[in-house]
């Protein structure tokens, strides 16, 4: 049973075909055993749902690709991309990784819109920020960590 | 918003966290209303704010008051330029 309605799929397909420039890879860190075998402490009830949503999104454009990484089996890769819990996904645009942009958890409701906006912005290589904001943000010269807490709506 | 900021500067890490799936983390930062943004583990922005307000708060938290001034000057220019 698809998560996206046929109408949403058609709208997104049209928007992607019109707007996507660079190829985008979404890398999902998950637990492949989730749902089949429950290892105590490694439960990830929403992992399969996140994967389904992302599979449906990437199926809507040849410029989108999903890469699935097992957080426990490929722990080194998770460490390298600074993923500390799952489900988590991050992006690359034309093979340039954007490890500093991550989602933790299921992107539904308003966050689904954020996901689509992220894909479009990364693919065109420019954020939605106005030029004045872009200029000052680029001048921040220290590490900053932002955590945005959301809930499904 | 946080993701847009991170897209412009690789030094900025932005995580969107689904609070119900990560209750311990949400509890650590006393998340009661969303969206709630935590900057460097201590400063917070609650509710949906304009991009301008968000960036100004960010600049203040990282101590770049010079850039707050620069932003205001740029905004003034934008206003004058129509």
């Amino acid at each position: 049973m698809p998560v996206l309605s046929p109408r949403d799929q058609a709208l997104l397909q049209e928007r992607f075909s019109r707007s996507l420039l660079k190829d985008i890879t979404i890398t999902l860190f998950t637990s492949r055993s989730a749902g089949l075998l429950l290892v105590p402490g490694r439960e990830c009830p929403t992992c399969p749902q996140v994967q389904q949503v992302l599979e449906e999104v990437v199926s809507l454009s040849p410029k989108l690709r999903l890469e699935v990484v097992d957080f426990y089996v490929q722990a080194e890769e998770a460490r390298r991309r600074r993923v500390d819990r799952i489900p988590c996904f991050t992006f690359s645009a034309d093979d340039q990784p954007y490890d500093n942009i991550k989602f933790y958890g299921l992107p539904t409701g308003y966050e689904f819109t954020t996901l689509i906006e992220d894909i479009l912005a990364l693919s065109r290589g420019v954020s939605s920020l106005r030029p004045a904001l872009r200029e000052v943000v680029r001048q921040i010269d220290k590490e900053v960590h932002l955590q945005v807490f959301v809930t499904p709506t | 918003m946080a993701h847009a900021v991170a897209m412009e500067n690789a030094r900025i890490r932005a995580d969107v966290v689904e609070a119900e799936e990560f209750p311990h983390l949400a509890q650590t930062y006393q998340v009661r209303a969303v969206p709630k943004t935590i900057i460097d583990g201590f400063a917070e922005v609650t509710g949906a704010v304009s991009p301008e307000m968000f960036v100004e708060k960010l600049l203040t938290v990282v101590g770049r008051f010079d850039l707050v001034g620069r932003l205001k000057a740029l905004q003034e220019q934008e206003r004058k330029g129509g």
Side-chain angles (χ1 to χ4, degrees):
Chain A
M1 181 72 181
V3 179
L4 297 175
S5 69
R7 187 173 167 273
D8 286 346
Q9 287 184 29
L11 283 170
L12 283 172
Q13 209 159 19
E14 197 272 326
R15 195 156 175 211
F16 286 153
S17 71
R18 201 160 25 93
S19 313
L20 293 183
L21 298 171
K22 294 180 188 174
D23 288 346
I24 300 294
T25 300
I26 302 176
T27 305
L28 169 67
F29 291 83
T30 183
S31 170
R32 287 187 200 272
S33 62
L36 301 172
L37 174 72
L38 286 181
V39 180
R42 292 189 176 186
E43 301 89 350
C44 182
T46 56
C47 277
Q49 287 165 273
V50 177
Q51 186 164 341
Q52 188 188 348
V53 171
L54 296 177
E55 277 170 355
E56 287 185 28
V57 169
V58 300
S59 75
L60 300 173
S61 168
K63 288 194 162 292
L64 303 177
R65 194 173 77 85
L66 178 65
E67 173 188 36
V68 179
V69 177
D70 191 301
F71 180 72
Y72 298 105
V73 176
Q74 294 157 276
E76 185 51 43
E77 178 67 1
R79 219 178 353 259
R80 196 176 65 78
R81 299 197 69 173
R82 298 174 79 167
V83 172
D84 50 13
R85 50 181 76 86
I86 56 168
C88 173
F89 58 94
T90 182
F91 303 89
S92 308
D94 276 353
D95 296 326
Q96 184 198 341
Y98 280 84
D99 293 346
N100 60 329
I101 298 175
K102 291 194 178 84
F103 277 88
Y104 285 96
L106 194 57
T108 51
Y110 184 74
E111 298 330 306
F112 185 75
T113 311
T114 306
L115 163 63
I116 301 302
E117 295 299 331
D118 280 357
I119 290 172
L120 293 169
L122 287 166
S123 184
R124 70 173 176 261
V126 184
S127 77
S128 59
L129 293 182
R130 293 204 350 263
L133 296 175
R134 210 178 290 156
E135 185 189 313
V136 293
V137 164
R138 284 179 182 170
Q139 290 182 59
I140 293 176
D141 53 3
K142 61 169 281 215
E143 304 273 322
V144 189
H145 186 200
L146 305 174
Q147 289 166 287
V148 186
F149 289 90
V150 297
T151 49
T153 44
Chain B
M1 174 51 45
H3 276 178
V5 166
M7 214 171 283
E8 294 295 343
N9 189 330
R11 288 192 172 89
I12 302 172
R13 280 192 294 144
D15 301 334
V16 168
V17 183
E18 210 291 288
E20 288 176 11
E21 287 177 60
F22 300 97
H24 296 300
L25 203 55
Q27 210 169 10
T28 302
Y29 296 109
Q30 303 185 336
V31 177
R32 292 192 190 90
V34 293
K36 180 168 178 173
T37 304
I38 305 294
I39 308 172
D40 277 349
F42 68 94
E44 60 178 68
V45 179
T46 307
V49 300
S50 68
E52 288 74 15
M53 276 181 67
F54 184 84
V55 169
E56 201 175 314
K57 175 86 177 181
L58 177 61
L59 296 173
T60 308
V61 173
V62 299
R64 290 300 301 268
F65 302 101
D66 59 319
L67 290 178
V68 176
R70 174 77 186 136
L71 176 60
K72 292 206 186 299
L74 286 169
Q75 284 173 327
E76 188 59 30
Q77 269 178 27
E78 277 183 1
R79 259 193 297 276
K80 281 181 183 158

